[in-house]
Amino acid sequence: MALAIICSGGDAPGMNPAIKKFVDYVYKRNSTPWFIHDGLEGMIDGKITQATHSDVAGIIHNGGAIIGSSRSRRFYEKKYRRQAWENLQKHHIEGVVVLGGDGSYKAFDILSREFPLNFVGIPTTIDNDIYGTEYCLGVDTALNVIRNAVDNIRDTASTFKRAFIVETMGRECGYLAAVTAVTSGAELCIIPEMHFNEKAAREHLLTELQQGRRYILAIAAEGAKKTEWLKQWFKNEIQIETRVTVLGHIQRGGNPTVKDRITAFEFILNAVDLLLENKTIQAALGYEKGRFTTRPIHEVTAGRYRIPEHILNDLHFLD
Ligand code: F6P
């Protein structure tokens, strides 16, 4: 059987180990692996090649994705979706492994309703915002990149009497910010999912500063859109000099951690097995309560991810 792999949307560390395992395992199962290059854009343009073992030699430790990715506007139009599907047919591709997030799942969901297509999605995004999985590939690496940056910022913060705000990625999801705040012992965290209790924060921080606190560390999720506001709030309400660090795309790079490599392998084995063993499948994998799970794609695209309560309960001044 001919199976293809595609990366779609924002890249995440873990894609390369996944691509490598895909090629090795598909051959092991006496099937043929194909690459779809440059995401949905490449699928529309027919950038599809047969993969070899040598293509994936020496990539296991690299962030990014050797087959490229893209965000596609053209895919919103049916004529381009048809073109993309016809390109798969030219190579007799019977199933696709999709490394991507919610937007990529929706794209393949629409495509498979219009044209016969089997696919299995592997949740791959540093945002950790996909329904039906506790964990998305790339998150552990991103959290460690952020932790490293925050640890460095602490060094300079503790030398000056200043507030530091670190802005994390995550789109509309505050997961990266919330986990970072808990594991870095930040005083403040602002996420889109919760309301910031200004009064409680102000009283607490002013008391602590009076008692000798030297610096304040705050983590702001980009999705809350409050980073600049928080800077002004520190200036006006807490009267403390403040610096902002927007970590940006640094968070998407870096060598995948051991957790992301192992998780990539497990996701791939499950995805390939499902494609080889099912006549019809449009599904997404997940990792829930210590096991790998499979859900129909429409269930995943219709659901909404929630940050676990035990993480939210550990954050200060949010209600
Ligand atoms: O979805 C991953 C992500 O890195 C988000 O956290 C961020 O908002 C977005 O992608 C950035 O997109 P781009 O790389 O297109 O600027």
Side-chain angles (χ1 to χ4, degrees):
M1 195 188 267
L3 299 181
I5 190 165
I6 186 171
C7 296
S8 176
D11 55 298
M15 281 182 162
N16 275 336
I19 292 165
K20 179 172 172 56
K21 182 57 92 180
F22 172 79
V23 173
D24 294 346
Y25 188 58
V26 170
Y27 275 126
K28 194 171 169 191
R29 298 277 327 248
N30 297 317
S31 294
T32 315
W34 290 78
F35 287 152
I36 301 170
H37 299 269
D38 299 338
L40 297 174
E41 283 289 293
M43 195 162 132
I44 292 168
D45 294 332
K47 293 184 184 170
I48 301 170
T49 59
Q50 193 175 326
T52 65
H53 285 296
S54 63
D55 289 333
V56 294
I59 66 163
I60 210 165
H61 61 297
N62 291 332
I66 56 153
I67 59 174
S69 185
S70 62
R71 301 193 195 281
S72 176
R73 292 231 140 266
R74 287 190 294 166
F75 209 78
Y76 289 109
E77 290 180 53
K78 186 164 181 182
K79 66 172 178 178
Y80 289 114
R81 294 198 292 274
R82 176 186 297 280
Q83 195 171 308
W85 181 79
E86 284 170 356
N87 285 331
L88 294 179
Q89 305 315 299
K90 277 183 205 155
H91 302 289
H92 310 288
I93 290 167
E94 290 171 73
V96 181
V97 174
V98 181
L99 303 182
D102 205 43
S104 316
Y105 285 5
K106 283 184 178 142
F108 272 84
D109 189 16
I110 293 170
L111 186 65
S112 67
R113 284 167 199 264
E114 293 169 341
F115 308 100
L117 177 67
N118 284 347
F119 73 93
V120 174
I122 292 179
T124 311
T125 166
I126 65 163
D127 301 342
N128 212 53
D129 61 350
I130 301 180
Y131 178 77
T133 187
E134 291 161 17
Y135 189 76
C136 297
L137 195 57
V139 171
D140 189 57
T141 309
L143 282 172
N144 278 293
V145 168
I146 300 169
R147 177 199 45 76
N148 194 37
V150 171
D151 286 351
N152 289 351
I153 283 169
R154 256 183 194 289
D155 291 344
T156 173
S158 61
T159 313
F160 279 75
K161 193 169 179 172
R162 279 174 173 169
F164 274 81
I165 304 169
V166 178
E167 185 187 278
T168 55
M169 274 188 168
R171 223 176 266 282
E172 273 86 50
C173 179
Y175 182 88
L176 290 177
V179 173
T180 298
V182 170
T183 55
S184 299
E187 281 67 47
L188 277 190
C189 179
I190 297 207
I191 54 173
E193 292 85 348
M194 293 191 82
H195 168 254
F196 175 50
N197 187 333
E198 284 179 56
K199 189 166 173 285
R202 185 175 178 276
E203 278 169 19
H204 182 86
L205 292 175
L206 287 177
T207 308
E208 286 215 325
L209 286 166
Q210 268 163 21
Q211 290 170 350
R213 166 177 284 286
R214 285 193 57 79
Y215 70 96
I216 298 165
L217 179 63
I219 312 294
E222 65 172 0
K225 297 188 170 65
K226 282 200 143 187
T227 307
E228 269 313 305
W229 173 87
L230 186 60
K231 186 179 179 192
Q232 291 309 316
W233 185 81
F234 274 128
K235 185 174 162 221
N236 300 334
E237 301 293 326
I238 313 291
Q239 273 98 46
I240 187 166
E241 196 180 346
T242 304
R243 296 287 185 269
V244 173
T245 303
V246 178
L247 293 178
H249 288 79
I250 287 170
Q251 297 159 94
R252 285 235 300 261
N255 298 354
T257 58
V258 170
K259 174 169 172 159
D260 275 329
R261 296 180 201 194
I262 293 278
T263 309
F265 300 161
E266 294 289 333
F267 271 138
I268 287 291
L269 299 185
N270 279 283
V272 170
D273 286 347
L274 283 168
L275 287 170
L276 292 177
E277 286 154 23
N278 286 279
K279 265 202 166 337
T280 308
I281 186 156
Q282 290 84 31
L285 296 176
Y287 187 76
E288 298 171 86
K289 299 192 173 82
R291 5 178 247 114
F292 289 90
T293 53
T294 311
R295 287 174 188 256
I297 197 68
H298 56 84
E299 197 179 306
V300 175
T301 52
R304 191 179 159 80
Y305 173 79
R306 285 182 198 282
I307 301 174
E309 282 296 313
H310 70 272
I311 297 173
L312 296 177
N313 290 342
D314 252 4
L315 299 170
H316 313 297
F317 318 121
L318 294 181
D319 43 47

